[in-house]
Amino acid sequence: MDDYRIGVGDALQINVWRNPELTVAVPVRPDGKISMPLIGDVVAASLTATELSQNITKNLSSFVRSPQVTVIVSNPSSSDFQRRVRITGAVKSPQSIPFREGMTVLDLVLIAGGPNEFASANKARLYRKVNGELKVYKIRLDDLMSDGQVETNYPLQPSDIVSVPERAF
């Protein structure tokens, strides 16, 4: 799993060892930056805690001899929408819910109340971004739910979208 990337709205605890006046608890602003004593604004969004720590250390080194900086993400609120799974289309209750480890297509469909009476369930699709490219996987939802054919009961990943189309009349 990749290291967590800091996002807008996250709360950070930045500790500068033996410099309590430089130790701060700060939110990541909508412009993706944080404010620190002595060095001012620093870009935080899309960096890991380690990368941000290294940047702050470098910026502080002209003010403090050998600064030791630790960055802790105390509230990763930006991850809420990055780590969701969604189901749309011809289901009883379209959903956007927090991703949980071990979740499958069937779990998401059941949470959404199953396909509605207009669904073309065997034409459902799973949309997933893989290395910046959109991949589409066919889901035979009717076969999965009625006949127990589990071949298309894929394990879900954060940001996956399941779409169930309506059938043509």
Side-chain angles (χ1 to χ4, degrees), residues 118 120 166-169:
F118 306 110
S120 183
E166 288 189 356
R167 61 180 185 267
F169 290 96

Side-chain angles (χ1 to χ4, degrees), residues 2-162:
D2 296 341
D3 283 344
Y4 179 78
R5 297 229 165 246
I6 296 167
V8 170
D10 286 355
L12 307 179
Q13 177 68 43
I14 299 167
N15 298 308
V16 184
W17 188 60
R18 290 196 170 157
N19 288 274
E21 67 285 353
L22 298 177
T23 295
V24 292
V26 291
V28 180
R29 300 189 315 243
D31 63 0
K33 297 178 182 175
I34 59 168
S35 294
M36 289 272 314
L38 292 180
I39 58 175
D41 291 349
V42 181
V43 172
S46 81
L47 299 178
T48 65
T50 305
E51 291 166 342
L52 179 57
S53 172
Q54 291 165 348
N55 289 356
I56 293 169
T57 299
K58 194 173 72 183
N59 290 338
L60 278 176
S61 57
S62 48
F63 301 100
V64 177
R65 189 176 330 134
S66 308
Q68 301 283 309
V69 179
T70 310
V71 174
I72 300 165
V73 180
S74 53
N75 184 357
S77 64
S78 71
S79 70
D80 184 41
F81 283 99
Q82 296 167 16
R83 295 192 51 82
R84 288 180 93 74
V85 289
R86 296 157 176 97
I87 182 163
T88 64
V91 290
K92 293 191 173 101
S93 174
Q95 302 274 324
S96 171
I97 63 168
F99 169 77
R100 291 195 241 353
E101 210 58 54
M103 192 178 251
T104 65
V105 165
L106 185 56
D107 293 321
L108 189 56
V109 169
L110 293 174
I111 290 168
N116 68 24
E117 62 274 23
F118 306 110
S120 183
N122 272 343
K123 291 187 175 158
R125 299 284 185 267
L126 167 64
Y127 297 92
R128 174 178 292 161
K129 265 217 164 95
V130 179
N131 299 323
E133 194 179 311
L134 185 66
K135 300 274 186 193
V136 182
Y137 303 87
K138 293 179 178 178
I139 301 170
R140 301 206 42 92
L141 195 53
D142 199 31
D143 295 349
L144 172 62
M145 295 183 75
S146 302
D147 303 332
Q149 294 181 20
V150 296
E151 298 81 16
T152 63
N153 188 25
Y154 304 109
L156 294 177
Q157 295 178 6
S159 298
D160 279 355
I161 299 171
V162 172

